[in-house]
Amino acid sequence: MTRTSDERWHLRHWLLLFSLPTPSLCGSMAAWWTDLGPSFVLQNASTGLLTYSLCHSNGTPIYPQDPPVALRTTYAPKKGTALAATGWYDQIGSTWASVFYQNNNDDIVNAVYKCDNRTGLYGQQESNVISDRRGTPNPHTNSGLSVTLLGEQEGYRVFYHDRSKALQSLQFKSTDGWSYGSPVSSNTNRSSMEIHSQFSGVRNVTVVTPRDAQNMETARLNVDSTYFIDTFPTPLKGGLNNTSASNRTSFPYDSSRAPSFELEAWNGNPKAIGIAIDTDTTRHIFYIGTDRAVHWIAAFVSASVEGGFRAQASQNTEVWPLADESNSDFMIASHIESSSIRLYYVSGGRIIETKYRDGNWDRATPVETANTTIIVDEGAGMGDAGLATGAKAGIGVGVSVGVLLVGAAAAAFWILRKKKSTPVDEEATAATDSVAAPVQPMSETGSQGAPSLAAGVARTGSGLSADKWDAEAKDKSLTPPPRELESPNLASELPEINDRNELPTKHHVTELP
């Protein structure tokens, strides 16, 4: 029997997905916010596959583990790549994701995906190497990555490290496509290469990176197209934003006065760093320290004047449970209009979500899961009577990988038999990322870009006692058995409308002081 390339890809990745380790083996992570709420993608450290939360999750992510679902990639991500991602909800009701990573040649790749609202699965629409544009410095083999989506006119900014560890940028505009942007910070004295960025207005972007074992560095792009470099807790010599030229080669500290605070449990080598900006243009920065705890620094704004960064109070372990590893990786998603922030990281063997809204932190909850494999019979009411849609993580214990692989092979065989015996439903086939209809790659002139974004405010989910889930984690194996869960609520099917490929028209106009 001859199998199509799509069938072979699907069978191979089905078996890989069933053998995926638990979240404790997560690699790099990235999260973003659309009008449906937060979404995230993470790399499995063992297989290198990019798994993701369901794209029709509403208000809070649903991350299936029975098995996870993986993005299809034209250029395979290198294991250990940094990840960056953004997304939007367009004017015709489709959710899109734009993911950035390094391939095995250390190129920076941009892959664009469209959500099937019935299944929650992404279908790949295009994939391009973007670091090969004229004049672009070669990326460092272990470059950090961050992306900011600025709107229809300004497009994307992607931040990365070159081979000398200097901070560089790539840009995308709908009129020009991808091109080299500019240097951001020519400082090459960096203890690690994590990057995160956020913006609060047209071209008003802040990029934050580790500097050394005592300090962080920020680069801020204002409307004059100049990056201003600063460090904290120890400022640079000459005062705030003294290095207005981003090509400056000397970045001496001001050692004439002691710093006003210290970065607690900071050794300059976190696996992630994150920034969010709220409606008051307060800049919030987060990291997980050597003590496995979340740490929070903020620069609040009063009477249109921004104060310096200051350490904020720690939260108790019901709000910020300890991460499983020191200097742990984590994801951050934020929504400036509602001043909402979400943090995601692994604690107790599970990915947890902690929420900041209305100036307060909510109790952390484990990210929910659901059975979203294509063997789900959408017409059958599957799952135990006591299980709600999006059942809590960690159900069941003790099934061996061998049993999972046998089950996977049987399921894959059943799918192929069904393909032979029944007509192909074009819409159902397009629902999986493994058989998404191909789209011509975007040209350098940007003939194919990103669709537009509709306005909306996300809803939030309910809580679960952190003590209860921590206790459960100790009593249960980290690998759940294959158990059929109730299928997720599916969004109503959208009418047949030609896809739009244009960047979101909505952008923020608030400027930082």
Side-chain angles (χ1 to χ4, degrees), residues 38 110 164 172 220 311 313 341 353 383 415 450 462 512:
N110 173 222
S164 70
F172 174 88
R220 187 163 128 183
I341 302 171
E353 175 186 63
I415 291 171
S462 58
L512 287 173

Side-chain angles (χ1 to χ4, degrees), residues 170-327:
L170 289 155
Q171 63 183 8
F172 174 88
K173 294 187 178 182
S174 57
T175 55
D176 305 320
W178 284 103
S179 64
Y180 173 59
S182 67
V184 177
S185 170
S186 57
N187 173 36
T188 59
N189 179 25
R190 302 182 187 278
S191 55
S192 63
M193 290 190 289
E194 285 63 45
I195 313 172
H196 201 246
S197 57
Q198 187 55 272
F199 84 112
S200 63
V202 179
R203 284 187 272 169
N204 204 331
V205 180
T206 297
V207 186
V208 60
T209 62
R211 172 69 182 262
D212 54 36
Q214 290 81 37
N215 298 282
M216 296 184 187
E217 178 181 294
T218 59
R220 187 163 128 183
L221 174 66
N222 276 317
V223 293
D224 62 358
S225 299
T226 304
Y227 284 97
F228 294 86
I229 313 299
D230 195 27
T231 56
F232 67 88
T234 307
L236 294 178
K237 190 173 183 179
L240 186 67
N241 289 340
N242 69 306
T243 52
S244 58
S246 59
N247 61 354
R248 184 181 178 114
T249 58
S250 177
F251 291 82
Y253 288 123
D254 182 359
S255 57
S256 64
R257 52 197 174 101
S260 58
F261 73 102
E262 294 183 355
L263 297 176
E264 186 178 356
W266 171 267
N267 66 358
N269 288 289
K271 292 180 182 176
I273 196 168
I275 183 171
I277 302 175
D278 64 22
T279 52
D280 295 325
T281 63
T282 296
R283 295 186 289 174
H284 306 261
I285 294 176
F286 300 88
Y287 65 95
I288 294 177
T290 57
D291 56 358
R292 305 184 331 185
V294 174
H295 295 272
W296 176 25
I297 303 114
F300 288 91
V301 174
S302 177
S304 299
V305 177
E306 182 184 75
F309 283 103
R310 295 290 185 272
Q312 303 302 304
S314 297
Q315 306 297 308
N316 63 49
T317 55
E318 286 192 345
V319 175
W320 289 348
L322 293 179
D324 285 356
E325 298 179 356
S326 62
N327 289 331

Side-chain angles (χ1 to χ4, degrees), residues 20 24 51 57 73 125 167-168 204 304 338 343 368 405 426 461 488 490:
L20 282 174
S24 60
T51 63
S57 303
T73 54
Q125 303 299 299
L167 195 58
Q168 304 284 352
N204 204 331
S304 299
S338 62
L343 302 179
E368 295 184 339
L405 291 175
E426 292 181 0
L490 303 179

Side-chain angles (χ1 to χ4, degrees), residues 319-342:
V319 175
W320 289 348
L322 293 179
D324 285 356
E325 298 179 356
S326 62
N327 289 331
S328 176
D329 205 345
F330 70 94
M331 302 173 276
I332 181 171
S334 61
H335 186 240
I336 189 170
E337 287 92 343
S338 62
S339 295
S340 296
I341 302 171
R342 307 283 181 92

